[in-house]
Amino acid sequence: MRRYTSLLLTAFLLFLIVVAGSAYMAGAGRDAERRPMREITAYTTLPAEHAAILSAAYEQEYDIRINFVPLSSEAVLERLREQADSSEGNEGAALVLADSETLGRAAADGELAPWLSEQGDQVPELFRQQDGYWVGVWYDPIVFCVNRDYLKTQTVIPDTWTDLASRPGVRIGITDFLAADASANLLFRMIAQFGDAASYDIWRQIHPKVVQYARYLSNPVRQAGMGEVDIALAVESESIRYMQDGYPLQIVYPADGTAAIITGTALPLHVNEADQTAAKAFCDWLLGDEAQQVLQSQGFYFVPTNPGTLAYKTFAGKNLVLFDQTARFTAKQKHDFLDRWVKEIRFK
């Protein structure tokens, strides 16, 4: 009888232990649920789709939510100006993810805090501000996206802007300079690199060969893939996307240089220490392979600026030449350049 009593007592104690453990685990789970997720705000000039992909992936992996606020370049600068003029930045953003021109203007106006991490220090000086006010995370160059059937008919592939302009019989697709910043940036950077006279001469020769001035960056690539044009002057990200989908295309990098939209990160002024720490960690994440893998899994292919990443080492265009002259033009100068192109070339 005593033996059965001992067994019953042991079983009862084990039952109490199990119940207590379950209650503890349930309480810990509720505490975790009640614990608020860290959230930081980020201003961005990226398309909302790109920002949403990055935010969702980072939150899933690190349990930190990046609340992106998509804005125009001018709106980003206005918000940063207001935050810089405020004694507290609690109502503003903890970081900025934007094109390098916007970041450069913000740095020149004293609206950013200098900072450079070990990851950022690996980025070549071409892709970052020398005093650490912003660092590029990836870029998207303009390339010659060539139809492979057209290539088979050519003994020499045009690989410079002057070669392309003088090539007889070629059909060209391009996004209208008035329709997309990346396309207009090509005109501005060519003027800065070659001068306005030489640049407009190139476009005068190219214009008669343009089959269509597209409204979207993807259309010239689609046209080249379908054989509607021989060469598309297009961003590399769209070119690779169509190539991944099986279109017969080949990328040629202009040997005399090309333009690119550089996307970078920066820290605004007046950010509390905890949010700034979280922002710095996210900036480093953007410089690594994980961010590139996330974007590529959704069909977005950008060139990483960090040469230490696997994504960079597997990038085919390591010898890509970018224009080295900065296009420091005012809004009025840019308007005048486009107006001249419209009047003298586009609709002449």
Side-chain angles (χ1 to χ4, degrees):
M1 183 69 179
R2 289 178 180 177
R3 184 179 62 182
Y4 292 122
T5 302
S6 176
L7 288 172
L8 288 172
L9 181 59
T10 301
F12 180 71
L13 289 173
L14 288 173
F15 174 76
L16 289 178
I17 292 171
V18 170
V19 170
S22 299
Y24 174 80
M25 294 299 292
R30 286 193 296 272
D31 288 343
E33 291 175 2
R34 288 194 295 265
R35 189 180 301 121
M37 177 184 294
R38 173 162 291 283
E39 299 184 28
I40 60 174
T41 299
Y43 298 147
T44 186
T45 57
L46 287 182
E49 183 181 7
H50 296 181
I53 290 170
L54 294 168
S55 178
Y58 194 74
E59 179 179 335
Q60 182 177 5
E61 183 68 23
Y62 298 98
D63 202 31
I64 297 176
R65 179 171 299 158
I66 311 298
N67 292 320
F68 280 106
V69 182
L71 298 166
S72 67
S73 176
E74 293 302 325
V76 168
L77 292 170
E78 178 62 28
R79 298 250 187 137
L80 290 176
R81 194 173 301 117
E82 292 173 357
Q83 186 165 332
D85 292 339
S86 171
S87 59
E88 299 181 358
N90 295 331
E91 299 298 323
L95 68 93
V96 186
L97 180 62
D99 61 275
S100 60
E101 182 174 349
T102 299
L103 297 176
R105 291 174 61 186
D109 292 341
E111 296 160 2
L112 301 176
W115 171 74
L116 189 63
S117 69
E118 182 178 352
Q119 289 270 53
D121 194 42
Q122 298 181 61
V123 174
E125 292 185 3
L126 176 64
F127 302 116
R128 58 184 169 94
Q129 204 275 341
Q130 60 180 0
D131 295 321
Y133 285 98
W134 64 266
V135 59
V137 290
W138 62 71
Y139 61 100
D140 198 8
I142 297 287
V143 299
F144 298 170
C145 183
V146 188
N147 179 277
R148 286 183 182 170
D149 290 333
Y150 171 75
L151 280 178
K152 294 175 183 177
T153 67
Q154 303 298 305
T155 56
V156 178
I157 303 173
D159 65 350
T160 69
W161 293 101
T162 52
D163 285 348
L164 180 65
S166 61
R167 179 60 57 101
V170 64
R171 299 172 302 161
I172 295 174
I174 185 174
T175 302
D176 197 317
F177 293 153
L178 301 177
D181 289 341
S183 193
N185 183 58
L186 173 61
L187 176 64
F188 304 145
R189 295 302 303 271
M190 286 183 73
I191 291 172
Q193 188 76 19
F194 302 138
D196 59 343
S199 299
Y200 283 112
D201 184 57
I202 288 172
W203 290 108
R204 283 191 189 92
Q205 295 179 67
I206 288 177
H207 172 70
K209 302 163 187 174
V210 174
V211 173
Q212 178 186 359
Y213 287 97
R215 292 176 59 87
Y216 300 97
L217 292 172
S218 60
N219 281 353
V221 183
R222 179 195 60 78
Q223 290 176 313
M226 298 294 291
E228 297 170 4
V229 301
D230 302 316
I231 299 177
L233 307 181
V235 290
E236 185 180 46
S237 59
E238 288 293 338
S239 303
I240 295 178
R241 183 165 70 88
Y242 273 83
M243 290 169 67
Q244 291 291 329
D245 288 339
Y247 284 77
L249 300 167
Q250 180 172 322
I251 292 174
V252 175
Y253 297 102
D256 51 351
T258 191
I261 294 293
I262 303 170
T263 298
T265 58
L267 303 179
L269 296 175
H270 306 312
V271 178
N272 66 64
E273 185 176 354
D275 285 352
Q276 189 176 83
T277 298
K280 290 177 179 179
F282 181 68
C283 290
D284 275 343
W285 181 79
L286 290 173
L287 283 163
D289 277 310
E290 193 174 353
Q292 289 295 320
Q293 291 168 359
V294 167
L295 289 168
Q296 290 179 14
S297 70
Q298 299 299 316
F300 300 108
Y301 301 91
F302 303 117
V303 186
T305 60
N306 183 357
T309 61
L310 179 62
Y312 177 86
K313 292 174 183 176
T314 57
F315 168 55
K318 290 187 176 65
N319 295 323
L320 170 67
V321 177
L322 294 178
F323 294 143
D324 56 10
Q325 297 299 312
T326 304
R328 292 190 178 93
F329 301 125
T330 65
K332 184 180 184 309
Q333 286 175 313
K334 290 180 178 180
H335 175 273
D336 291 343
F337 288 141
L338 289 171
D339 188 57
R340 179 180 172 186
W341 174 76
V342 167
K343 292 177 179 178
E344 297 184 8
I345 300 173
R346 177 75 163 86
F347 293 117
K348 185 174 181 181

